[in-house]
């Protein structure tokens, strides 16, 4: 029998050394016994193992979804990791920057060798096939079982549930089949969960509708074109935290060249501080109102001063701005300008109107409108936070509209694109690309897709509104009421209980199930509420792979250590389950993991240096290489040898200012000749009024609302208006008078890294409060604060900020839930424990504009995260 214990392991003493396999964990655990001893070691600058002789540097995976995919190397000696470093493969320069990792990358060794690694297959003590005792999920003790027992339980449960209820009874919290569980796909499929996820409303506003790619991939200018800009707008974007690694280097270079920055955000972010940006302090979730006010002000300024609106651009490259440029497929005689002027509703969308909603002073709206006008060279960069809100369906269309009004497409110094992930500020086609693995793709035979906010409720009611493939821009199956009968939840590569909405109800849904299983490296939230947990390897324990980084760097990682304890790879686990189900694993995995890795390398290509834009093989492979790897393949000649490629940790295309790659400008071909290079829209142009968009939104039908083709202001069902009683702005405050948003946080990549001791101490995961709001409630920095919504409540320590606008509460995204079962209060600070099943009509999850309240907590002070909740499972 085993139990979960809270251990104070290594606040300061989690040394950079890790002994081989099992011994590594023992060493790391023991170093945390006292702060004094660990500080003593650090002060002596001694390494626990001398790396001078016999050590080997290995390119190690930095694999989590943080946006960097940066260089990460570890020194392995006698099977132990004794040192770690980042990119030093070439001299660093702004033109040819090293692919430097951030503190999260440096904490990867705690992901592999951490004392809280799951060592063996585990079964919840009170669970049995005959009596699941679901109410004990999350609080039960654990016991170790063998792999044979674990696979036997899983296969028997799958067979029983399929026979009784059919494949739709299996639920996986993944977005379609992209991250789906291979054994269930091969076994007849499963019900999926769809969510607006990272890209929010941009998943709805696609190249096929309004004219911009879902994620703007490939339409951002090359990073060197920032130097041609006068101004760079960072709209709801904080790359210093959300895209750590090299991106901030590019913005700093632009700042040093004299480019000025404007940030639109509820917080004056770390990125804004680095870049000395002019701050537009907006209320979260009110971006549609703000941008309508900006559009109106641009027109007013153009009439008063001239040269603010680029009318020639609107005439040639857009449809639907005014009555003279209507799309041919419109079903009603409407246009954006008439809506803006209040023709349809009697309410002109002036700067004054917008200011009352978004909280931005009129003079700042005027400033922004003038600064993005046609006479200025502007990079308009957004991230997706503004599109994560209830009522934000039209944010992408409006951001595109403002960019078009200023003419900021398709010419040097001008750009309109996202500022997301590894490609933040570094657009253009990939200069180096990985090859295909050679593994087949799997299609899910079950078409049922539950909207994220409805997922856990559907486990109780058996009903949901099918949104089909809306998140990929297709309306297929949307708007259909469906039934379901969920009896089993599987957690594979997803963390949906933790990162999806309505977590408190999700925990209740898990406790209702016949069976819940999870693959995990730690006792994550998903594993905590499961019955069987299978220990899966990290990316440091697999043969290797390639990871796409920014456009000029392809990362290659190799195995650092053999699988620890009894952990197995995903392929090994899936193979065992399929065999137990009587399926042929070779249909899913016809080749070995090593062969798949080799195929990625052999198929990698790099852009030719002759300026042709064509690609050639990246890696030279010889017969000897093929024999050494034990794989099948053909010799080829490339730019770099196989051993050099693997040892270096990938390949980076060397850049120089003014090189052939610097000339990439997004939309340039379209701007040069829109007739010969039309966009994918019905009109072939940017659609400021778009019938296809309205048709898609209306097909989903989640609320009683008729969406218009132009970008209109949508009163959210939860947002700023609902902080007031009766929804009247400036009326009496309601029960939840604050707006809550969930910023990405440097401690984590979504929910990953939350358990790393180094990061838990460095980044304490507070609640962000405006200093004046906090003072009014008698709250000072470090005080324990209770934050609550109608869905749940959490405890956090206060971080009182002058650089956050009043009326806002920030709960960092991704903290692992830690529920006090006696009170129902979460002590871990999980953002989604406070978020419910609110969903906007277009199917968007209400992540960033929820209503909440807060107060100084009168109970016992909350412990620091680094002193608690290590989730160590120990044999009893």
């Amino acid at each position: 029998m085993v139990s979960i214990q809270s251990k104070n392991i290594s606040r300061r003493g989690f040394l950079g050394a890790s002994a081989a396999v099992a011994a590594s964990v023992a060493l790391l655990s023991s170093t945390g016994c006292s702060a004094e001893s660990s500080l003593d070691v650090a002060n002596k600058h001694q390494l626990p193992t001398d790396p001078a002789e016999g050590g080997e540097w290995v390119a190690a995976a930095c694999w989590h979804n943080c946006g960097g995919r940066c260089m990460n190397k570890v020194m392995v000696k006698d099977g132990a990791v004794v040192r770690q470093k980042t990119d030093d493969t070439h001299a660093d320069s702004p033109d040819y920057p090293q692919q430097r990792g951030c503190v999260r990358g440096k904490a990867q060794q705690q992901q592999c060798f951490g004392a809280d690694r799951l060592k063996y297959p585990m079964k919840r003590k009170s669970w049995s096939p005959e009596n699941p005792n679901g109410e004990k999920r999350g609080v039960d003790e654990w016991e170790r079982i063998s792999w044979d027992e674990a696979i036997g339980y899983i296969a028997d449960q799958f067979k029983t549930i399929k026979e009784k209820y059919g494949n739709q009874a299996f639920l996986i919290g993944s977005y379609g089949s992209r991250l789906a569980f291979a054994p269930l796909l091969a076994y007849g499929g499963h019900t999926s969960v769809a969510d607006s996820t990272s890209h929010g409303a941009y998943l709805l506003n696609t190249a096929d509708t309004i004219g911009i790619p879902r994620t703007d991939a490939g339409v951002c200018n090359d990073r060197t074109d920032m130097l041609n800009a006068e101004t760079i707008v960072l709209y709801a974007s904080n790359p210093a935290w959300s895209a750590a690694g090299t991106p901030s280097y590019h913005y700093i270079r632009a700042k040093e060249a004299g480019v000025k920055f404007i940030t639109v955000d509820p917080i004056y972010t770390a990125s804004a501080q680095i870049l000395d940006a002019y701050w537009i302090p907006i209320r979260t979730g009110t971006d549609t109102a703000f941008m309508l006010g900006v559009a109106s002000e641009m027109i007013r300024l153009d009439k008063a001063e001239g040269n603010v609106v680029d009318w020639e651009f609107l005439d040639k490259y857009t449809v639907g701005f005014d009555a003279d440029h209507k799309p041919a497929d419109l079903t009603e005689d409407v246009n954006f300008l008439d809506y803006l002027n209040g023709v349809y509703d009697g309410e002109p969308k002036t700067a004054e109107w917008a200011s009352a909603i978004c909280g931005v002073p009129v003079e700042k709206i005027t400033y922004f409108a003038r600064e993005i006008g046609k006479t200025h060279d502007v990079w308009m960069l957004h991230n997706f936070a503004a599109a994560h809100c209830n009522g934000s369906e039209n944010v992408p269309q409006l951001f595109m509209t403002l960019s078009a009004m200023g003419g900021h497409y398709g010419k040097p110094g001008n750009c309109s694109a996202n500022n997301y992930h590894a490609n933040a500020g570094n657009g253009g086609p990939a200069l180096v690309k990985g090859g295909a693995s050679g593994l087949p793709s799997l299609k899910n035979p079950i078409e049922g897709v539950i909207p994220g906010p409805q997922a856990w409720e559907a486990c109780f009611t058996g009903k949901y509104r099918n949104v089909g493939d809306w998140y990929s821009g297709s309306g297929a199956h949307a708007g259909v009421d469906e039934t379901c009968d969920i009896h089993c939840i599987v957690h594979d590569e997803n963390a949906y209980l933790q990162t999806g909405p309505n977590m408190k109800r999700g925990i209740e849904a898990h406790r209702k199930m016949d069976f819940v299983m999870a693959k995990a490296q730690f006792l994550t939230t998903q594993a905590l509420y499961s019955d069987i947990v299978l220990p899966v390897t990290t990316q440091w324990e697999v043969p290797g792979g390639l990871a796409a980084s920014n456009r000029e760097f392809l990362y290659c990682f190799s195995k650092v250590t053999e699988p620890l304890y009894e952990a197995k790879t995903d392929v090994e686990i899936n193979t065992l389950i399929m065999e137990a189900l009587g399926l042929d694993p070779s249909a899913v995995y016809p080749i070995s993991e090593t062969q798949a890795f080799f195929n990625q390398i052999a198929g990698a290509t790099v852009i030719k240096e002759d300026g042709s834009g064509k690609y050639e093989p990246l890696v030279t492979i010889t017969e000897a290489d093929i024999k050494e790897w034990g794989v099948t393949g053909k010799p080829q000649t490339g730019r770099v040898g196989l051993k050099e490629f693997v040892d270096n940790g990938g390949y980076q295309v060397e850049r120089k200012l003014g090189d052939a790659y610097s000339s990439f400008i997004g939309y340039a071909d379209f701007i040069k000749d829109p007739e010969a290079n039309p966009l994918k829209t019905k009109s072939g142009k940017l659609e400021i009024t778009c019938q296809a968009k309205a048709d898609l939104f209306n097909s989903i039908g989640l609320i009683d609302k008729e969406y218009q083709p132009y970008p209109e202001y949508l009163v959210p069902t939860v947002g700023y208006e609902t902080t007031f009683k009766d929804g009247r702005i400036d009326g009496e405050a309601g029960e939840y008078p604050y707006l809550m948003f969930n910023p990405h946080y440097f401690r984590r990549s979504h929910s990953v890294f939350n358990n790393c001791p180094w990061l838990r101490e460095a980044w304490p995961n507070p609640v962000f409060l405006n200093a004046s709001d906090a003072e009014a409630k008698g709250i000072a920095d470090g005080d324990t604060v209770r934050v609550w919504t109608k869905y749940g409540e959490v405890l956090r320590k206060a971080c009182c900020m002058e650089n956050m606008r009043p009326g806002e509460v920030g709960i960092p995204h991704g903290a692992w839930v830690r529920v006090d079962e006696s009170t129902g209060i979460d002590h871990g600070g999980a953002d989604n424990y406070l978020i419910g099943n609110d969903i906007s009509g277009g199917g968007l999850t209400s992540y960033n504009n929820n209503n909440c309240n807060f107060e100084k907590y009168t109970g016992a002070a909350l412990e620091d995260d680094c002193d608690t909740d290590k989730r160590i499972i120990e044999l009893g």
Side-chain angles (χ1 to χ4, degrees):
M1 182 178 69
V2 295
S3 61
I4 307 169
Q5 297 188 2
S6 178
K7 269 198 162 183
N8 182 15
I9 291 186
S10 61
R11 286 189 62 188
R12 298 175 176 84
F14 214 114
L15 298 179
S18 308
V21 194
S24 66
V25 178
L27 172 63
L28 289 170
S29 301
S30 65
T31 59
C33 294
S34 72
E36 290 75 20
S37 64
S38 63
L39 287 171
D40 182 59
V41 172
N43 289 336
K44 291 180 179 178
H45 301 287
Q46 292 177 343
L47 291 167
T49 306
D50 180 11
E53 297 181 2
E56 177 185 6
W57 286 108
V58 177
C62 197
W63 69 92
H64 296 297
N65 190 25
C66 64
R69 305 294 198 278
C70 308
M71 181 74 78
N72 192 13
K73 288 189 175 182
V74 295
M75 178 174 280
V76 181
K77 182 175 181 181
D78 299 328
V81 171
V82 296
R83 294 185 69 183
Q84 187 169 340
K85 67 178 181 179
T86 187
D87 187 10
D88 59 1
T89 57
H90 58 82
D92 189 45
S93 71
D95 289 338
Y96 188 33
Q98 294 173 347
Q99 302 300 309
R100 295 180 181 177
C102 72
V103 295
R104 287 180 290 210
K106 296 178 187 300
Q108 288 282 13
Q109 59 181 280
Q110 293 182 323
Q111 293 291 98
C112 181
F113 297 110
D116 53 351
R117 272 294 298 271
L118 293 177
K119 303 175 179 65
Y120 321 105
M122 293 288 179
K123 182 182 81 70
R124 192 165 53 80
K125 180 183 176 184
S126 69
W127 178 86
S128 69
E130 298 76 26
N131 186 3
N133 287 305
E135 72 281 358
K136 293 188 177 181
R137 292 186 179 111
V139 296
D140 213 347
E141 293 182 321
W142 295 88
E143 59 187 10
R144 176 182 177 181
I145 58 176
S146 69
W147 272 102
D148 287 343
E149 289 176 295
I151 298 301
Y153 280 132
I154 292 168
D156 288 345
Q157 287 296 296
F158 283 4
K159 291 174 182 177
T160 299
I161 290 169
K162 177 173 181 173
E163 181 179 348
K164 286 184 177 180
Y165 310 108
N167 280 82
Q168 62 83 38
F170 299 103
L171 180 67
I172 294 186
S174 62
Y175 320 121
S177 60
R178 178 171 62 91
L179 296 175
F181 184 51
L184 279 181
L185 290 181
Y187 197 48
H190 58 80
T191 301
S192 299
V193 174
D195 197 289
S196 45
T197 66
S198 296
H199 305 117
Y202 281 87
L203 295 183
L204 286 163
N205 294 269
T206 70
D208 296 327
T209 52
I210 66 173
I212 59 175
R214 294 171 59 197
T215 61
D216 286 351
V219 299
C220 181
N221 298 359
D222 179 76
R223 59 182 170 85
T224 59
D225 186 61
M226 285 188 195
L227 303 178
N228 298 318
E230 176 186 341
T231 301
I232 295 175
V233 172
L234 297 180
Y235 200 108
S237 182
N238 182 18
W241 276 17
S242 62
T246 58
S248 290
Y249 199 3
H250 309 321
Y251 309 118
I252 292 170
R253 183 187 195 187
K255 178 182 182 297
E256 291 173 345
V259 179
K260 64 183 178 183
F261 287 78
I262 299 174
T263 179
V264 184
D265 205 285
I267 293 181
Y268 194 71
T269 64
S271 299
Q273 294 174 54
I274 291 170
L275 302 168
D276 193 24
Y278 182 90
W279 183 28
I280 308 289
I282 192 172
R283 288 190 182 103
T284 184
T286 63
D287 303 272
T288 303
F290 170 74
M291 286 190 278
L292 285 169
V294 171
S296 179
E297 196 68 356
M298 289 179 75
I299 293 172
R300 187 190 69 81
L301 290 170
D302 188 79
K303 290 178 180 178
E305 304 172 4
N307 287 325
V308 175
V309 177
D310 192 332
W311 296 103
E312 292 182 3
F313 186 96
L314 293 174
D315 175 70
K316 188 173 183 180
Y317 301 108
T318 74
V319 294
F321 185 82
D322 56 26
D324 295 330
H325 298 82
K326 293 182 294 187
D329 63 337
L330 274 185
T331 59
E332 293 185 54
D333 186 11
V334 295
N335 65 83
F336 175 67
L337 185 59
D338 281 348
Y339 170 73
L340 199 64
N341 290 331
V343 171
Y344 306 133
D345 58 7
E347 182 70 77
K349 311 306 179 292
T350 62
E352 291 76 12
W353 168 88
S355 179
I357 300 171
C358 69
V360 177
V362 169
E363 60 269 22
K364 286 184 176 285
I365 295 176
T366 302
Y367 170 84
F368 189 76
R370 185 179 280 115
E371 290 299 308
I372 66 169
K374 65 174 287 188
T375 59
H376 301 288
D377 291 321
V378 183
W379 270 47
M380 298 278 289
L381 297 179
H382 68 85
N383 212 316
F384 299 108
H388 284 179
C389 301
N390 189 289
S392 67
E393 285 92 327
N394 289 313
V395 162
Q397 197 176 16
L398 268 172
F399 193 85
M400 176 266 285
T401 298
L402 294 184
S403 301
M405 290 176 70
H408 304 306
Y409 284 98
K411 58 185 179 182
N414 293 264
C415 177
S416 181
N418 82 34
N419 200 37
Y420 174 71
H421 224 267
N423 292 310
N426 190 13
L431 304 180
V432 56
K433 300 182 287 188
S437 68
L439 294 170
S441 59
L442 301 176
K443 179 175 174 58
N444 188 358
I446 303 297
E447 294 182 340
V449 181
I450 307 176
Q454 296 182 6
W456 307 129
E457 204 62 41
C459 292
F460 292 93
T461 66
K463 299 177 181 179
Y464 66 95
R465 174 59 64 93
N466 194 334
V467 296
D469 297 326
W470 70 266
Y471 53 91
S472 63
S474 168
H477 308 291
V480 178
D481 289 322
E482 303 278 9
T483 60
C484 62
D485 188 12
I486 306 298
H487 287 264
C488 174
I489 297 174
V490 174
H491 294 291
D492 187 8
E493 294 178 323
N494 73 83
Y496 199 72
L497 178 59
Q498 178 67 63
T499 59
N502 214 10
M503 185 193 296
K504 187 174 182 180
R505 190 61 164 160
I507 291 171
E508 295 169 359
H510 277 65
R511 288 172 170 166
K512 176 182 180 290
M513 293 295 107
D514 295 348
F515 183 59
V516 183
M517 68 149 286
K519 293 180 191 173
Q521 292 150 7
F522 316 97
L523 198 64
T524 62
T525 299
Q526 289 64 232
L528 182 64
Y529 291 94
S530 294
D531 303 314
I532 302 291
V533 180
L534 303 178
V536 66
T537 56
T538 67
Q539 293 290 79
W540 284 19
E541 301 158 83
V542 299
L546 304 185
S549 187
N550 53 61
R551 73 179 301 220
E552 53 215 45
F553 177 55
L554 179 65
Y555 189 38
C556 176
F557 60 88
S558 301
K559 178 182 284 187
V560 173
T561 180
E562 294 299 318
L564 301 183
Y565 304 104
E566 292 187 9
K568 296 183 183 295
T569 68
D570 281 294
V571 172
E572 291 171 332
I573 294 172
N574 290 347
T575 296
L576 290 173
I577 295 174
M578 284 188 282
E579 288 174 343
L581 292 172
L583 303 172
D584 179 8
S586 66
V588 177
Y589 303 114
I591 57 177
S592 69
E593 294 180 74
T594 300
Q595 181 71 58
F597 178 29
F598 177 83
N599 290 348
Q600 288 181 299
I601 297 174
T605 56
V606 60
I607 198 164
K608 289 186 175 182
E609 296 176 329
D610 60 8
S612 66
K614 297 181 179 180
Y615 291 79
E616 61 187 1
L618 172 64
V619 180
T620 294
I621 297 173
T622 66
E623 289 282 8
D625 292 329
I626 296 170
K627 183 177 180 180
E628 180 182 348
W629 279 58
V631 295
T632 61
K634 296 179 180 179
Q636 64 183 38
T637 300
R639 191 174 296 182
V640 61
L642 176 59
K643 186 178 189 305
E644 180 184 357
F645 176 72
V646 173
D647 289 348
N648 279 348
Y651 182 83
Q652 182 178 353
V653 174
E654 185 172 359
R655 297 293 309 278
K656 294 179 181 178
L657 193 63
D659 61 22
Y661 318 123
S662 303
S663 63
F664 179 80
I665 304 293
Y667 293 94
D669 291 341
F670 168 66
I671 297 303
K672 181 179 180 181
D673 190 340
E675 299 297 326
N677 303 286
L679 303 178
K680 296 179 181 180
T681 59
K682 292 287 183 65
S683 65
K685 299 182 178 182
L686 296 167
E687 299 210 354
I688 294 172
T689 298
C690 178
Q691 188 63 49
K693 181 214 74 170
D695 291 345
L696 175 59
F697 288 6
N698 289 324
S699 72
I700 295 170
L702 285 169
I703 62 173
D704 185 17
K705 158 71 183 172
E706 185 72 19
Y707 288 94
Q708 298 299 321
Y710 48 79
E712 59 183 323
Y713 178 68
L714 302 172
V715 177
T717 58
V718 56
Y720 179 54
E721 284 85 345
T722 54
T723 62
F724 300 95
K725 286 185 178 180
D726 302 323
R728 291 188 303 105
I729 291 177
D730 292 333
E732 184 180 353
E735 184 179 358
Y736 305 100
Y738 297 91
L739 280 170
M740 183 186 74
F741 65 106
N742 307 120
H744 283 250
Y745 190 52
F746 210 29
R747 177 163 120 188
R748 294 179 294 271
S749 172
H750 295 288
S751 65
V752 177
F753 295 113
N754 188 67
N755 57 318
C756 288
W758 291 336
L759 299 179
R760 290 172 76 84
E761 183 171 17
W763 302 92
N765 198 68
V767 53
F768 298 129
L769 301 173
N770 171 268
S772 298
D773 290 343
E775 184 179 12
K777 290 176 176 282
I779 296 171
D781 268 329
D783 285 347
T784 300
V785 177
R786 182 175 75 100
V787 182
W788 72 96
T789 69
K790 64 180 180 180
Y791 300 107
E793 50 190 314
V794 305
L795 299 181
R796 283 289 87 197
K797 291 192 174 183
C799 176
C800 304
M801 306 171 66
E802 299 287 353
N803 60 335
M804 187 170 85
R805 62 162 296 117
E808 305 274 341
V809 173
I811 299 287
H813 169 58
W816 292 6
V817 72
R818 183 163 57 93
V819 179
D820 182 335
E821 294 291 333
S822 65
T823 64
I825 300 176
D826 169 38
H827 290 216
D831 53 329
N832 290 318
Y833 197 74
L834 295 169
I835 294 174
N837 59 351
D838 296 294
I839 188 169
S840 66
L844 299 178
T845 303
S846 303
Y847 282 118
N848 268 336
N849 61 335
N850 290 274
N851 301 152
C852 75
N853 208 336
F854 69 94
E855 66 181 7
K856 185 174 181 179
Y857 186 57
T858 57
L862 188 68
E863 292 182 277
D864 289 335
D865 287 355
C866 56
D867 289 329
T868 187
D869 193 28
K870 294 298 187 293
R871 297 195 186 181
I872 309 295
I873 296 183
E874 293 195 335
L875 293 173

